[in-house]
């Protein structure tokens, strides 16, 4: 299984909210994810608009994602 790290789009129209996920490369962008790794809000406050789990991201990058 080839795993990719992607941004999954959530939220309503013109108020996007993204979730960083590990997902099988053959699935759709908004398909079923393997693991949730964090989130990104481009509309939120300047310093509170991103939250990531760095050790889990490094774990997936070590596995070839």
């Amino acid at each position: 299984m080839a795993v990719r790290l992607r941004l999954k789009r959530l939220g309503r129209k013109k108020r996007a909210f993204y979730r960083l996920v590990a997902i099988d490369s053959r699935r759709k962008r908004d398909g079923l994810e393997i693991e949730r790794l964090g989130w990104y809000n481009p509309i939120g406050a300047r310093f509170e608009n991103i939250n990531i789990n760095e050790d889990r991201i490094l774990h997936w990058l070590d596995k070839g994602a």
Side-chain angles (χ1 to χ4, degrees):
M1 172 173 40
V3 176
R4 300 250 169 119
L5 301 181
R6 290 189 187 159
L7 289 174
K8 185 176 183 178
R9 189 181 194 280
L10 301 168
R12 63 180 197 229
K13 185 171 33 170
K14 297 187 181 182
R15 300 280 298 174
F17 179 86
Y18 299 96
R19 186 176 287 154
L20 180 63
V21 297
I23 191 168
D24 185 4
S25 65
R26 295 169 291 202
R27 292 204 181 256
K28 296 179 180 181
R29 176 193 70 189
D30 295 335
L32 183 65
E33 70 259 8
I34 299 169
E35 182 178 359
R36 294 179 183 166
L37 303 172
W39 52 266
Y40 169 63
N41 184 5
I43 300 172
R46 185 171 287 241
F47 297 108
E48 298 175 0
N49 61 354
I50 190 164
N51 181 13
I52 59 173
N53 190 345
E54 294 178 24
D55 37 320
R56 292 305 295 169
I57 290 174
L58 293 175
H59 166 78
W60 282 108
L61 290 175
D62 287 341
K63 291 197 172 219

